[in-house]
Amino acid sequence: GQVYAKIGKYRLARENYKVAISYSKIINDEDEIANLNRRLGICFSKESEYSKAIEYYDLAYQYATEHKDTSLLASLSNNLGVVYKNKGDYQKAIEYYFRSVEWRRAMGEEDKVAAYLNNIGVIYKKIGEFEKALGFYQQAYDIHKKQGKKNGMTGALMNIGIIYKNLDQPKKALQNYLAALELTKETG
């Protein structure tokens, strides 16, 4: 299933995942069933079949909640955030992204926290709440900077520049764009 999913053949991936679920049920491998349900959700999400994606993510989410699988809960929260963003339900997307942030922070995975904060910023930008977006992009930048992740810093600076442009602050926008350009030169 994974090979088919990687090359974009989602129908074939789904067929293989469903077969794998039937075998996993025979041997009572609940961990694998939850993982396969998540992968089915990803396939449906990639094909813009969001209701089906939510259905499979929810099955995996129930399992992860019952078994206190924080890593799976964090991943699924992000997956659900993506689906709700793509559906245009921004409040629900933000809710799930915040859950992802909480789970990843609890696990000490700050690089993923930065990515999820960026996702929240994207939504606030999309709905025109630029000050909120700026705050989340700045938090993501701070985490990347602390970790020395120049690619992440570059992306955050570009996003911050876009927000300043939208706030009609061209000097601040330019400062951030130039800082991003310098980092890009350093990383090649």
Side-chain angles (χ1 to χ4, degrees):
Q2 284 181 290
V3 172
Y4 285 125
K6 288 247 188 246
I7 61 173
K9 301 206 180 265
Y10 300 114
R11 185 186 57 75
L12 291 170
R14 289 194 322 262
E15 289 173 9
N16 280 273
Y17 290 148
K18 287 178 181 179
V19 169
I21 285 174
S22 64
Y23 286 116
S24 295
K25 285 180 179 178
I26 292 169
I27 60 171
N28 201 28
D29 187 346
E30 292 182 6
D31 287 345
E32 187 61 16
I33 293 167
N35 185 37
L36 291 164
N37 280 324
R38 178 176 169 267
R39 289 181 183 183
L40 280 163
I42 291 169
C43 287
F44 282 115
S45 179
K46 295 279 187 185
E47 295 178 303
S48 303
E49 292 187 42
Y50 301 125
S51 296
K52 284 290 223 182
I54 291 167
E55 177 185 328
Y56 283 98
Y57 287 148
D58 281 345
L59 288 171
Y61 203 90
Q62 289 170 10
Y63 169 85
T65 301
E66 289 169 15
H67 292 86
K68 296 176 177 53
D69 185 336
T70 55
S71 182
L72 184 57
L73 284 166
S75 294
L76 287 164
S77 294
N78 187 62
N79 294 139
L80 284 160
V82 170
V83 167
Y84 283 111
K85 178 190 75 144
N86 291 340
K87 283 184 70 169
D89 188 343
Y90 301 124
Q91 283 310 117
K92 202 138 188 157
I94 288 169
E95 174 188 324
Y96 278 104
Y97 285 143
F98 271 120
R99 288 183 193 180
S100 296
V101 167
E102 290 171 19
W103 290 117
R104 293 296 180 192
R105 273 213 170 109
M107 292 184 289
E109 295 180 354
E110 288 298 305
D111 56 329
K112 290 186 179 173
V113 169
Y116 299 158
L117 291 170
N118 185 72
N119 290 346
I120 295 168
V122 167
I123 291 176
Y124 280 121
K125 182 185 96 183
K126 192 171 195 74
I127 62 177
E129 292 191 38
F130 300 124
E131 295 290 343
K132 284 185 179 178
L134 181 61
F136 286 102
Y137 289 147
Q138 187 63 54
Q139 288 179 61
Y141 172 80
D142 292 343
I143 291 169
H144 290 307
K145 185 176 181 180
K146 183 179 175 185
Q147 294 182 328
K149 301 216 172 181
K150 291 183 179 180
N151 287 338
M153 290 167 61
T154 301
L157 286 168
M158 289 299 295
N159 287 334
I160 291 167
I162 291 166
I163 294 301
Y164 279 125
K165 180 178 172 256
N166 287 324
L167 290 171
D168 200 28
Q169 296 182 37
K171 287 182 182 177
K172 286 185 176 182
L174 183 59
Q175 286 174 328
N176 283 279
Y177 292 146
L178 291 173
L181 179 60
E182 283 304 311
L183 283 171
T184 301
K185 287 178 183 176
E186 289 176 23
T187 58

